Each structure stands twice: as C-alpha cells, then as structure tokens.
Amino acid sequence: MVDSGYLIMKRLAWELPEQLTDAIRRSRSTSLAARTSAAVAVAGMGGSAIGADIIAAVLAESCPVPFRVVRDYRLPAIVGQRTLFFAVSYSGNTEETLAAYEQATKRGCQVVVVTGGGELRRLAERRKQPIFRVPSGLPPRAALGYLLVPLALVLDQVGVARGLTSQLKRAAAFLGKFRAGFWRQARTVARSMKGRLPIVYSTCRLLDPVADRWRCQLNENAKVLCHTGLFPEHNHNEIVGMGSPSQLRRSVIVFLVDKRTHPRTMIRMKQTISIVRGTFERVHRLQTGGSALLERVLSLCMLGDMVSVELARLQGVDPFPVARIDLLKSRMRGGR
Ligand code: PA5
C-alpha cells in the first residue's frame, strides 16, 4: 500500500510537464468574456491556493493591478465590482473558499471558478459563471498544473499578464527535459532529511511560494513538520532564535536561490551559516533552473515535490493519503 502510494505520487510529480500541457489544451474550451479589471483576487486553501501564489509572485513586479490571494472565509475590502475573482477548489467543497466565493458573487465581482466538482461547481453552473473543470481522482496538491494554468490563461487574456501562456509552454518543455536530473538531486536532498527537521529558506520574494510549497508537500507527502523562513528578514530576528542547538541539532537547511536573489543576500547566507554553524547537520543551496520567471519557480517546485515523495519512501510512509485533513473536514461538516 505504501509502495503503491509512492508510485502514484512519484508518477504525478514526474508528470507535471504533461499536466501543464494538458491543462493548457483543456482550458481553451472554456469560453470567457473577460473584461478589464481593477484588481485580481483568488480564494483557495492548501493545494488549491498554491498555484495562485506562484502566479502572484511571478507577476509581482509587472502586474498593473493589485493581486491578492485569500486563504480565509472573508474577503478584503479591495475586492469589489471591478475585481476579477477566481474561486479555486479542487473538491469544490472547501468551506472557506465557498464562503469567499459567495461574498465575491454578492459584491458583483467577475467570478471565474476552477474546480473538480462539488458545491462550487453546482453553484457556478446555476449562476452561469465560467468554470474551468479539473479532472477528478487526483490529490489537490498533485493537480498544481490544472489549478494554476486557468489563472494564467485568463490573466493573459485580460491583459494583466501578457505572455504568461507562452511562459507556461516553455516551462513545460524545460521541466520535461531536465526532470531526470531533478529526481537525482531530490534523492540526495531527501536522504539528508531522513529523521531530521527540514528548514527551507526563500531568498527572494519570487521564491516565497516555493518555500511554502516545499513545506506543504513535506507535511502532506512525507508527513513531517517543516519550518520555512525568508531571507534577508531572517537576519533581523530568526538568527537569534537559532541560538538553541538542542532544538536544531537534527535539522537540515535548504536555501532556495534565484538570479533575483540580491548579491547582499548571498553574502548574508554565507555569514549566517558561519555564525550558526554547529546548530544544524547539513545545508543545501538549490538554484532555480531555466530562464523565464515561471520556469524558474516551477523548477524548484518540482524538485520540492520530488524530495517530499522520496522522503516519504525513506521514512516508510504512504505519501498519498492525508487522513488528518479528511478527518478534520468531516468533523467540520458535522458542525462539531
Ligand atoms: O492537499 C490537500 O488535500 C489540501 O491542502 C486541500 O487542497 C485543501 O484542504 C483544500 O481543499 P480543496 O483543494 O479541495 O479546495
């Protein structure tokens, strides 16, 4: 059972390039009379929200309008009539996302739905809102391509993110070409994490969602805790918190690095390591691959997905089920 879960999740991580390509093809069949918007907001939780974070990070320095990702029941005040609002939920039954979606509909936003079914699809069909349908049978976290691509295509179409569709195609080709090398690297990183606490640092804002993705994938696939932090902010608080070697002795640090990492941040990383030396067991410095922003972000996401699946195997756990999320959701449905 553990083996079959491993093989399924391994295949899903490996096939991200094919998924991106398939998602582009499928998304073309959804018709959308998109209008120009004054803001973009995306509501989603967990595996359904990370695609939006990635797009937001990629567009951070070029997006002409505010872009908010909402992981809660309530929408911020900036979400109004002229907002392009995406409700993203793989199951279509996530209560926080449904609550945000209801508010967005009431506020007269231009609503777009990305879902595999559930209540969200039922409501959107009744209201004749555009729906991007995600194929069923996948864990939400393994549907990253299907959940991210519709956002990118719509934003490209409305002029908020020109060129994102071609970036997606290039990313799919790049990831497909280099994935065998990623997998080898993932095995090395996973081996070093076995029985230890992974600590993942993003070193520029482009990579913040990648650090989050690593944490969530290590939580859900490998069933381990993971700490994440941001550089250079780390140097202004967390570096002091690293003064307790007994807490950290069995930890492994991963620095996620990109061309956008500031040269001074690179020096900060080195200085930090020399100051906190002896409090952790191993450091990895992982560099993005590729050229366009999306390609770079997805390269380290894919690597992280592979690390989490390999770590699950090494720790002897099944990466597929997320029993505690299921239990919690069923208790919440019961109103307890
Ligand atoms: O990975 C998971 O299963 C979770 O993080 C879910 O994505 C999260 O609970 C939200 O559910 P859904 O994606 O169905 O909206």
Side-chain angles (χ1 to χ4, degrees):
M1 191 57 199
V2 170
D3 280 355
S4 70
Y6 166 72
L7 291 175
I8 294 168
M9 293 306 282
K10 181 179 177 183
R11 181 177 53 77
L12 290 170
W14 180 262
E15 288 178 353
L16 177 61
E18 286 78 9
Q19 190 180 117
L20 289 168
T21 308
D22 187 44
I24 295 171
R25 188 185 54 76
R26 286 169 182 261
S27 298
R28 292 227 165 90
S29 58
T30 302
S31 67
L32 185 68
R35 47 181 201 251
T36 325
S37 23
V40 177
V42 186
M45 302 300 296
S48 286
I50 192 71
D53 286 334
I54 291 173
I55 303 278
V58 165
L59 298 183
E61 290 178 28
S62 61
C63 190
V65 295
F67 190 135
R68 295 283 286 270
V69 181
V70 182
R71 281 186 172 78
D72 206 347
Y73 294 88
R74 297 196 178 92
L75 292 177
I78 64 150
V79 177
Q81 251 185 359
R82 296 194 54 230
T83 300
L84 174 58
F85 175 88
F86 295 88
V88 185
S89 170
Y90 186 83
S91 63
N93 291 321
T94 298
E95 63 176 43
E96 299 93 321
T97 312
L98 284 168
Y101 159 81
E102 284 297 346
Q103 281 174 64
T105 303
K106 280 200 190 101
R107 288 188 198 177
C109 299
Q110 182 183 20
V111 174
V112 177
V113 165
V114 182
T115 187
E119 182 67 0
L120 187 56
R121 186 167 109 191
R122 196 184 64 73
L123 290 168
E125 274 171 357
R126 206 179 69 205
R127 292 165 176 164
K128 303 204 178 338
Q129 290 159 334
I131 307 174
F132 288 87
R133 288 164 207 268
V134 179
S136 57
L138 299 169
R141 62 193 182 282
L144 175 64
Y146 290 122
L147 297 165
L148 173 149
V149 163
L151 311 185
L153 296 193
V154 173
L155 293 174
D156 195 343
Q157 192 184 326
V158 298
V160 166
R162 289 267 182 248
L164 215 47
T165 314
S166 56
Q167 271 203 53
L168 273 172
K169 290 181 192 160
R170 289 224 307 273
F174 175 81
L175 298 175
K177 190 163 168 202
F178 292 102
R179 60 187 157 187
F182 293 164
W183 207 285
R184 280 193 293 278
Q185 197 176 13
R187 286 215 167 102
T188 308
V189 177
R191 267 197 298 273
S192 76
M193 284 181 176
K194 187 178 172 203
R196 301 189 177 91
L197 172 72
I199 301 179
V200 181
Y201 290 118
S202 159
T203 61
C204 63
R205 301 305 55 88
L206 178 67
L207 299 182
D208 291 354
V210 183
D212 280 344
R213 174 73 174 179
W214 275 62
R215 178 171 45 75
C216 296
Q217 293 292 76
L218 288 164
N219 294 159
E220 294 184 52
N221 290 339
K223 278 73 179 167
V224 294
L225 268 181
C226 168
H227 173 75
T228 49
L230 315 177
F231 265 69
E233 179 65 15
H234 168 283
N235 287 177
H236 302 274
N237 34 65
E238 200 169 315
I239 190 167
V240 187
M242 289 180 118
S244 171
S246 59
Q247 265 190 325
L248 292 169
R249 196 168 298 124
R250 293 190 61 75
S251 64
V252 174
I253 294 182
V254 174
F255 286 110
L256 304 174
V257 179
D258 181 69
K259 290 177 203 160
R260 300 217 44 91
T261 303
H262 196 281
R264 297 286 296 164
T265 301
M266 299 298 284
I267 298 173
R268 285 175 179 278
M269 277 162 43
K270 278 198 202 118
Q271 288 300 333
T272 302
I273 293 299
S274 96
I275 292 168
V276 304
R277 181 167 288 135
T279 57
F280 52 85
E281 288 198 11
R282 177 92 195 257
V283 179
H284 299 278
R285 185 178 163 285
L286 304 176
Q287 180 82 35
T288 53
S291 50
L293 294 177
L294 192 56
E295 209 167 287
R296 276 148 54 196
V297 171
L298 288 176
S299 69
L300 283 186
C301 275
M302 193 175 185
L303 179 64
D305 292 1
M306 292 170 168
V307 169
S308 67
V309 174
E310 278 303 313
L311 185 58
R313 182 181 63 82
L314 292 170
Q315 306 230 134
V317 297
D318 188 340
F320 194 85
V322 283
R324 288 195 170 170
I325 296 180
D326 299 339
L327 172 67
L328 200 283
K329 283 184 179 177
S330 85
R331 288 196 181 172
M332 292 301 290
R333 271 195 302 275
R336 283 196 273 164

